[in-house]
Amino acid sequence: MLPRKRTGEGVVVEDNSAASASFHKKPRIGRFGSAVLTAANTSDNSNIAIQSSNSSNCDSSGVIGSSIMALGDLNPTDIDEDLHSRQLAVYGRETMRLLFASNVLVSGMQGLGAEIAKNLVLAGVKSVTLHDVGTVELWDMSSNFIFAENDVGKNRALASVQKLQELNNAVAIHTITTELTKEQLSDFQAVVFTDISLEKAIDFNDYCHNHEPPISFIKAEVRGLFGSVFCDFGPAFTVFDVDGEEPHTGIIASISNDNPALVSCVDDERLELQDGDLVVFSEVQGMSELNDGKPRKIKSARPYSFILEEDTTEYAAYEKGGIVTQVKEAKVLNFKPLREALKDPGDFLLSDFSKFDRPPLLHLAFQALDKFVSECGRYPVAGSEEDAQRLISIATTINENLGDGKLEDISPKLLRHFAFGAKAVLNPMAAMFGGIVGQEVVKACSGKFHPLFQFFYFDSIESLPVEPMDSSDFRPQNSRYDAQISVFGSKLQKKLEEAKVFIVGSGALGCEFLKNVALMGVSCGNQGKLTVTDDDVIEKSNLSRQFLFRDWNIGQAKSTVAASAATSINPRLNVEALQNRVGPETENVFDDTFWENLSVVINALDNVNARLYVDQRCLYFQKPLLESGTLGAKCNTQMVIPHLSENYGASRDPPEKQAPMCTVHSFPHNIDHCLTWARSEFEGWLEKTPAEVNAYLSSPLEYTNAMRNAGDAQARDTVERVLECLEKERCETFENCIAWARLKFEDYFADRVKQLIYTFPEDAATSTGAPFWSAPKRFPRPLQFSASDIGHLHFVMAASILRAETFGIPIPDWVKNPKKLAEAVDGVVVPDFQPKNDAKIVTDEKATSLTTASVDDSAVINELIKKLEQCYKNLPPGFKMKPIQFEKDDDTNYHMDLIAGLANMRARNYSIPEVDKLKAKFIAGRIIPAIATSTAMATGLVCLDLYKVLAGGHKLEDYRNTFANLALPLFSMAEPVPPKVINHRDMSWTVWDRWVVKDNPTLRELLQWLQDKGLNAYSISCGSALLYNSMFPRHRNRMDKKVVDLAREVAKVEIPPYRRHLDVVVACEDDEDNDIDIPQLSIYFR
């Protein structure tokens, strides 16, 4: 773990008006080495072992310090966790603190510079200084979301300040509008140049590389459909966490006394270890020599075992228990300065294996372009064959001088395209590279994730229209799209403007997509229309990445605010914002006509079920679907193209493995089990039971009759809970709530554990004679309540406050005073525990309920109802409870305090390492890690394919599906998978095909229509109803009825007035009685 920030390293508030304020220099990441490393080694790309990579507040044993559970979570922090929770889930606190102390320079505020600056401001660095000596041109409007047309003529840096500042008021935004000097670079931890000559870049990079401490230097360019990144973080840069993943762990089942030793683990979860990994052992009983905390190397890693490179023949024999934990390794990278790297670039980072020979060519092309600009004082003109030939000539000369590194083919055709688009910065390219470079800056400032080492080149030449274009197509039209026209031509621009697009979702992905399409001019023509829908409202946690929203928009509809923001980027955008969820229930809104008129659908969703529904709609109406998603630093894109690619639902990830119910409730062995249980108890206590109470109170007779009619174990349990809540556990004063909380502590963390180990002692055996408490089970210990234990007291405080809320009891201020609360808790009388001999504890891993059915459930329910009716008479008039719905993103409501308290007390029972409230929020709140950089990259990649979709005529091999992990970094692109083809006679079809039968046919006519194709239909269904089956003689009486009338009569289908057809599923055989899967049939009846 990185060392904590010292007091003097806090964020310093600076005067925004200063163009070159004095900055407080942060120590270089590499200088933290002595505090966190077990060994130092500065040789090339050497590895250094780190004992812990977690950002949680753990000591070396992984146990949280007592301050974590302090009242109000008093762990000192300067991070707004409500705002940055999703980002914290990716980076952790230490990385965030380092970012908060980092000053970054972004030079060149065209489209790429704006995207990088946006991502850094959202990430929350201390300051961003914008440098540009140029003025805003109409040309910039194709790629820069910051500028409005009335900014033309203003300095780019100055024109950018206000809108960037709105993204995050905690970040100081500075500007420099004069030529930079090398000395000014010393004010920054990282500097990014997006528009700089190679000569000046080499000069600046030399200064940064040799500076002490080194200044991280990034040079990035976007030229049409081509882009490049170069990184130099200094001669010895330490990466503390190369991938951002949690260390893998395993529960040990056995260790052999061998040389080398074989370690086997329980088959609860795969180990995910690799040969050469370092691991540490803990809690091993018997072979305790391994518990010394020393990292040990492994080999022959398998899913549930590995070989330990150590002689254990003289060690004590293994008895039981033990945890093996991967040790994350730090890595020292020796970057070369640009001057050397240009001549000897080393291995290029590949993105597309179909273009494995492309990076060396682009390395040459960007150098040739720099020489062209230095000689001509301008970029090549789009469509100018003379300029293109001159660039090719320069590239040829450079290549001839490379000696052994000379390329055999410099691809004049590719260089021609490169020359034509060299002046243009395209929005999708800027978005993609803005995400990549923004992430590299975060790495430079924090040592989190592996940097790009050192060159990355990319092109999307396949995005160009397939039809030939002449020089007149590229001619500027004095419009905001001129840069884009210079690459794609005016014909495609017209198609973009007239497109009818549906964006589903306006969260993080949706905001980026709306910005991108607005800048591209999509749906900005007279016939164009963009529809965006989202049923969600804006929350504070959205603001760290959903950049179209501001703090004054909290509580407003996402789609409305996002659409309004998009029109401010491009006033010509024709957008309609809806607040409807896309699903079967809104097919009256998104009807057949709506889908039929669309050009393309872009998903910006956050759940699989909604994606699958939209996928089915796109399949049905044969519309292109551009799909994407993110998870932390990872992102993926999938192009679903009618008749060319498989659909989104054709392949699915396996479902996540769920822990057995008995494990969660009685035998947890990790903190996830504890938090799952805690969330369940929270909802039972504070939401479900109060809601059941209110259901009973609102209509007692109807409620009790329903319970009597059910007469099962579940009904019995429900009535018991309602009675208990209104009788034994009803609270009238806050002191009652404290007593309830204290007794719950005793019940959950002492008595239940005592009962468990009474029923199953430590030496208990199973029916087969094996030890009952064998891995992965952990033997528990009861807790002894102590008011001096801040964790115990914090649990009682949170529980009593929330219990009081459900009963509408005022909460006194003194409850937050530890001394007064302790006095109140000490006054609670706690009965002694008496073990039960007949206690039933579920141990079956296949059990789905903890409730056991009984023959006398109905009789018990009747007795309980009698008591409930008596209790009802004693309630005050109008009594109601207030159910509490779990809300993870409000740190003042005590919800997460209670869940973290429940989970951590249970973790103490089972000697499981505890977590702080933030980590508990991530797990119990099921928070999806998210950062702006991966979102920006994903949407940029999708929009590069949007050009292809709207241009039309592209082949499958022109499209790209992508998986990327910015943490590694890894970029993997491949053409989409084609759909499965079914052949019959001289016909073939795929999942994309839908057969249409018009003129409202009868059943006989439909069967004949199929027979003409050599298909014998033996079954026709609509929904869940069978309209026809050849085995049922009475179905022959239906032959002359219209199919649609049969659907109304038999299937009881209600066809809405906007629907012109009916869909049926037909099962067919060929003449040889082989089943043939045919497409869905649509019967048009009007």
Side-chain angles (χ1 to χ4, degrees):
M1 186 169 72
L2 293 174
R4 290 189 180 279
K5 189 171 61 177
R6 293 188 296 274
T7 306
E9 293 173 4
V11 174
V12 178
V13 178
E14 300 183 68
D15 182 2
N16 269 0
S17 63
S20 56
S22 62
F23 294 91
H24 290 251
K25 191 72 174 170
K26 175 180 72 66
R28 180 68 173 164
I29 293 298
R31 297 172 78 184
F32 292 148
S34 60
V36 294
L37 306 180
T38 58
N41 187 341
T42 55
S43 63
D44 184 41
N45 297 358
S46 58
N47 290 334
I48 297 171
I50 301 183
Q51 292 298 336
S52 170
S53 69
N54 288 342
S55 58
S56 59
N57 297 285
C58 300
D59 61 25
S60 59
S61 66
V63 179
I64 306 301
S66 61
S67 64
I68 295 306
M69 293 302 297
L71 299 184
D73 200 25
L74 297 176
N75 183 44
T77 178
D78 49 6
I79 300 171
D80 186 339
E81 293 180 359
D82 285 347
L83 175 64
H84 290 294
S85 59
R86 276 60 177 173
Q87 187 170 303
L88 275 162
V90 182
Y91 294 146
R93 282 199 182 94
E94 294 302 331
T95 295
M96 290 290 291
R97 288 192 180 110
L98 291 167
L99 284 179
F100 286 5
S102 298
N103 304 305
V104 182
L105 170 74
V106 179
S107 176
M109 286 306 295
Q110 293 171 307
L112 177 56
E115 291 286 338
I116 295 166
K118 173 204 72 183
N119 294 331
L120 294 176
V121 172
L122 290 171
V125 296
K126 179 181 176 183
S127 75
V128 176
T129 298
L130 314 174
H131 168 252
D132 203 311
V133 298
T135 56
V136 178
E137 302 172 13
L138 196 59
W139 184 270
D140 296 324
M141 298 295 163
S142 282
S143 62
N144 193 312
F145 72 94
I146 294 173
F147 301 149
E149 291 185 24
N150 60 10
D151 287 323
V152 172
K154 297 177 184 175
N155 175 272
R156 287 196 190 100
L158 293 174
S160 303
V161 172
Q162 182 183 343
K163 288 184 181 173
L164 287 174
Q165 189 67 76
E166 287 177 1
L167 298 177
N168 190 344
N169 285 323
V171 178
I173 310 288
H174 305 286
T175 59
I176 299 175
T177 58
T178 56
E179 293 292 342
L180 273 177
T181 64
K182 288 185 288 188
E183 289 69 29
Q184 286 174 293
L185 303 183
S186 64
D187 290 332
F188 307 100
Q189 282 71 54
V191 295
V192 182
F193 294 91
T194 67
D195 188 16
I196 188 174
S197 70
L198 206 48
E199 181 184 8
K200 191 171 280 188
I202 289 170
D203 191 31
F204 282 173
N205 176 240
D206 284 344
Y207 178 84
C208 293
H209 189 85
N210 296 320
H211 192 273
E212 184 53 46
I215 301 162
S216 294
F217 175 95
I218 301 172
K219 180 182 184 294
E221 285 185 89
V222 166
R223 301 295 170 200
L225 288 166
F226 299 81
S228 76
V229 180
F230 168 78
C231 294
D232 172 14
F233 294 175
F237 180 81
T238 302
V239 186
F240 291 109
D241 184 356
V242 295
D243 59 10
E245 303 293 337
E246 288 287 327
H248 300 299
T249 64
I251 300 170
I252 297 168
S254 67
I255 307 173
S256 67
N257 288 93
D258 283 318
N259 183 17
L262 173 66
V263 180
S264 299
C265 294
V266 300
D267 59 358
D268 186 56
E269 287 184 17
R270 292 173 67 92
L271 275 175
E272 306 292 349
L273 295 175
Q274 296 180 351
D275 289 6
D277 277 354
L278 294 174
V279 299
V280 292
F281 292 86
S282 58
E283 302 182 23
V284 176
Q285 295 185 37
M287 198 180 287
S288 57
E289 293 91 339
L290 294 178
N291 293 331
D292 57 7
K294 173 183 148 189
R296 291 170 162 85
K297 188 172 281 191
I298 69 164
K299 64 180 182 180
S300 303
R302 300 285 183 269
Y304 306 106
S305 67
F306 58 85
I307 297 292
L308 182 65
E309 291 189 344
E310 188 161 344
D311 182 357
T312 62
T313 53
E314 299 300 319
Y315 291 0
Y318 172 82
E319 293 174 6
K320 64 177 182 176
I323 305 288
V324 60
T325 304
Q326 179 193 30
V327 176
K328 298 295 288 283
E329 292 182 275
K331 189 175 184 181
V332 174
L333 295 175
N334 308 127
F335 286 88
K336 288 185 285 192
L338 181 58
R339 184 186 301 277
E340 294 176 23
L342 279 170
K343 298 170 189 170
D344 181 17
D347 294 331
F348 296 103
L349 177 62
L350 268 178
S351 61
D352 189 335
F353 286 96
S354 68
K355 302 177 180 178
F356 70 92
D357 57 347
R358 193 65 55 82
L361 178 55
L362 296 184
H363 188 65
L364 177 68
F366 274 93
Q367 292 178 68
L369 177 62
D370 179 77
K371 192 166 178 60
F372 181 104
V373 173
S374 66
E375 289 177 358
C376 301
R378 61 174 176 82
Y379 287 96
V381 174
S384 169
E385 295 293 347
E386 183 183 343
D387 282 359
Q389 288 307 314
R390 178 163 187 167
L391 181 78
I392 292 167
S393 175
I394 294 171
T396 302
T397 303
I398 295 172
N399 189 46
E400 292 295 331
N401 294 328
L402 288 178
D404 293 341
K406 178 182 172 182
L407 303 179
E408 291 183 13
D409 178 17
I410 64 166
S411 185
K413 181 181 177 183
L414 186 82
L415 291 176
R416 179 174 172 271
H417 288 308
F418 180 68
F420 281 8
K423 186 186 174 187
V425 178
L426 300 174
N427 164 256
M429 290 290 291
M432 173 192 170
F433 275 80
I436 294 171
V437 175
Q439 195 64 58
E440 293 307 308
V441 173
V442 171
K443 297 172 187 179
C445 295
S446 67
K448 181 84 169 182
F449 304 155
H450 195 293
L452 197 159
F453 193 82
Q454 292 186 255
F455 281 104
F456 173 65
Y457 291 101
F458 173 84
D459 76 87
S460 184
I461 200 73
E462 59 278 357
S463 292
L464 288 172
V466 293
E467 60 187 41
M469 295 179 285
D470 57 46
S471 59
S472 63
D473 288 325
F474 305 112
R475 193 172 297 133
Q477 300 181 354
N478 195 33
S479 83
R480 62 180 293 141
Y481 312 118
D482 278 351
Q484 191 164 261
I485 290 169
S486 75
V487 176
F488 294 100
S490 54
K491 293 191 188 75
L492 178 55
Q493 186 59 48
K494 184 69 175 171
K495 289 181 179 179
L496 295 176
E497 291 176 35
E498 302 305 326
K500 294 176 176 62
V501 180
F502 186 25
I503 296 180
V504 190
S506 56
L509 288 165
C511 284
E512 288 284 343
F513 279 129
L514 282 164
K515 175 256 296 176
N516 293 355
V517 298
L519 290 170
M520 293 163 68
V522 174
S523 304
C524 293
N526 293 331
Q527 302 302 312
K529 183 179 180 183
L530 170 65
T531 304
V532 59
T533 190
D534 196 312
D535 66 343
D536 203 1
V537 296
I538 298 164
E539 300 173 357
K540 185 177 181 181
S541 63
N542 302 148
L543 303 182
S544 66
R545 64 203 184 285
Q546 300 177 20
F547 79 103
L548 295 181
F549 308 144
R550 305 291 178 264
D551 52 9
W552 56 83
N553 298 132
I554 291 172
Q556 297 174 14
K558 282 187 175 182
S559 59
T560 306
V561 175
S564 175
T567 54
S568 70
I569 292 171
N570 187 345
R572 297 174 183 81
L573 181 66
N574 299 316
V575 59
E576 180 182 10
L578 303 174
Q579 285 84 50
N580 302 96
R581 183 185 294 269
V582 180
E585 69 278 7
T586 55
E587 287 181 8
N588 60 323
V589 178
F590 307 109
D591 57 18
D592 294 7
T593 304
F594 172 83
W595 287 98
E596 286 164 356
N597 288 334
L598 291 175
S599 309
V600 63
V601 179
I602 301 174
N603 263 354
L605 291 161
D606 61 0
N607 71 88
V608 171
N609 288 337
R611 286 184 167 107
L612 289 170
Y613 175 79
V614 174
D615 177 56
Q616 286 302 308
R617 293 278 87 188
C618 289
L619 263 182
Y620 189 86
F621 292 100
Q622 301 185 24
K623 299 298 177 183
L625 171 63
L626 309 187
E627 176 61 65
S628 58
T630 69
L631 180 68
K634 306 179 186 81
C635 68
N636 71 283
T637 69
Q638 181 180 353
M639 302 304 112
V640 179
I641 311 299
H643 305 289
L644 292 183
S645 75
E646 69 175 12
N647 61 307
Y648 172 78
S651 57
R652 301 191 196 179
D653 294 330
E656 287 187 21
K657 184 179 178 182
Q658 299 291 324
M661 185 172 288
C662 68
T663 298
V664 170
H665 283 270
S666 298
F667 308 107
H669 54 261
N670 61 43
I671 196 64
D672 289 45
H673 296 157
C674 298
L675 283 160
T676 300
W677 170 83
R679 170 90 183 256
S680 173
E681 293 302 314
F682 177 99
E683 290 172 348
W685 289 353
L686 303 172
E687 182 182 0
K688 291 177 182 176
T689 299
E692 285 290 336
V693 167
N694 287 347
Y696 166 68
L697 295 176
S698 60
S699 50
L701 188 60
E702 186 179 323
Y703 184 90
T704 52
N705 285 339
M707 291 297 144
R708 282 192 179 102
N709 291 337
D712 56 12
Q714 187 177 347
R716 183 195 70 207
D717 273 8
T718 302
V719 178
E720 275 179 352
R721 282 190 289 110
V722 171
L723 178 61
E724 188 175 57
C725 188
L726 290 177
E727 189 182 49
K728 267 200 316 184
E729 296 187 353
R730 182 160 73 90
C731 299
E732 296 179 344
T733 66
F734 192 77
E735 285 73 12
N736 293 155
C737 299
I738 289 175
W740 174 86
R742 172 64 184 89
L743 293 174
K744 282 294 179 190
F745 182 101
E746 196 69 18
D747 178 27
Y748 278 72
F749 309 122
D751 293 354
R752 293 192 186 193
V753 175
K754 291 173 184 176
Q755 181 64 57
L756 181 62
I757 59 181
Y758 177 82
T759 306
F760 300 109
E762 195 165 6
D763 59 357
T766 65
S767 57
T768 62
F772 180 85
W773 292 103
S774 58
K777 289 188 180 79
R778 299 172 71 87
F779 187 76
R781 309 284 178 191
L783 299 185
Q784 175 69 46
F785 183 86
S786 169
S788 61
D789 186 312
I790 204 71
H792 295 186
L793 206 57
H794 192 69
F795 166 83
V796 171
M797 182 186 75
S800 57
I801 286 173
L802 292 174
R803 186 68 171 177
E805 278 186 31
T806 62
F807 281 95
I809 297 169
I811 298 161
D813 290 338
W814 59 259
V815 71
K816 296 170 189 176
N817 181 311
K819 186 178 178 184
K820 291 184 177 178
L821 178 62
E823 289 172 359
V825 174
D826 286 341
V828 178
V829 177
V830 179
D832 292 334
F833 169 71
Q834 294 296 327
K836 299 175 184 173
N837 291 318
D838 59 348
K840 293 178 181 176
I841 298 171
V842 176
T843 59
D844 182 3
E845 293 192 354
K846 296 178 182 176
T848 57
S849 172
L850 298 178
T851 302
T852 307
S854 170
V855 290
D856 57 353
D857 280 338
S858 293
V860 172
I861 289 171
N862 283 326
E863 285 300 314
L864 290 170
I865 287 173
K866 286 179 186 176
K867 292 180 182 178
L868 193 56
E869 288 168 347
Q870 187 61 42
C871 180
Y872 179 72
K873 296 174 185 176
N874 298 327
L875 292 175
F879 175 81
K880 288 277 184 187
M881 293 192 73
K882 296 176 182 175
I884 295 174
Q885 280 197 322
F886 174 58
E887 172 48 61
K888 62 183 176 292
D889 285 322
D890 179 357
D891 274 346
T892 65
N893 63 11
Y894 289 95
H895 294 192
M896 278 313 309
D897 296 79
L898 178 55
I899 286 176
L902 276 165
N904 281 331
M905 294 306 101
R906 189 169 180 79
R908 288 189 194 180
N909 282 141
Y910 289 88
S911 303
I912 295 168
E914 298 171 38
V915 291
D916 65 4
K917 193 168 82 171
L918 182 66
K919 187 68 178 287
K921 182 198 286 192
F922 296 155
I923 300 170
R926 303 180 187 113
I927 285 177
I928 306 298
I931 47 178
T933 49
S934 56
T935 305
M937 181 183 179
T939 58
L941 287 166
V942 168
C943 288
L944 288 172
D945 276 280
L946 180 61
Y947 287 127
K948 305 168 195 175
V949 168
L950 296 179
H954 284 269
K955 298 176 182 176
L956 181 68
E957 54 264 31
D958 293 331
Y959 290 95
R960 292 290 183 272
N961 288 351
T962 303
F963 171 77
N965 186 343
L966 290 174
L968 298 177
L970 166 73
F971 306 105
S972 177
M973 298 179 181
E975 68 182 60
V977 177
K980 179 185 175 184
V981 178
I982 297 171
N983 296 297
H984 173 69
R985 288 189 173 181
D986 57 349
M987 298 179 292
S988 64
W989 59 83
T990 71
V991 69
W992 283 102
D993 290 290
R994 175 164 61 106
W995 286 352
V996 172
V997 185
K998 296 186 176 179
D999 302 325
N1000 197 13
T1002 62
L1003 179 58
R1004 188 186 308 278
E1005 288 167 340
L1006 176 59
L1007 292 172
Q1008 185 61 51
W1009 186 88
L1010 290 164
Q1011 205 160 23
D1012 292 343
K1013 297 178 181 293
L1015 295 164
N1016 304 311
Y1018 60 84
S1019 174
I1020 301 174
S1021 58
C1022 180
S1024 59
L1026 198 61
L1027 304 185
Y1028 168 77
N1029 191 292
S1030 60
M1031 295 178 66
F1032 298 160
R1034 59 192 175 85
H1035 282 189
R1036 290 172 193 153
N1037 299 331
R1038 301 175 177 178
M1039 285 294 188
D1040 294 315
K1041 288 190 175 183
K1042 300 286 187 184
V1043 175
V1044 66
D1045 292 336
L1046 278 176
R1048 288 187 176 115
E1049 291 172 25
V1050 179
K1052 309 299 182 189
V1053 172
E1054 293 182 12
I1055 303 172
Y1058 57 81
R1059 181 67 45 82
R1060 295 181 291 121
H1061 68 272
L1062 174 80
D1063 296 320
V1064 295
V1065 177
V1066 182
C1068 292
E1069 295 174 333
D1070 61 14
D1071 292 335
E1072 283 78 42
D1073 295 337
N1074 299 310
D1075 277 334
I1076 306 290
D1077 289 330
I1078 69 167
Q1080 192 171 47
L1081 267 176
S1082 293
I1083 311 294
Y1084 277 75
F1085 56 88
R1086 58 183 173 211

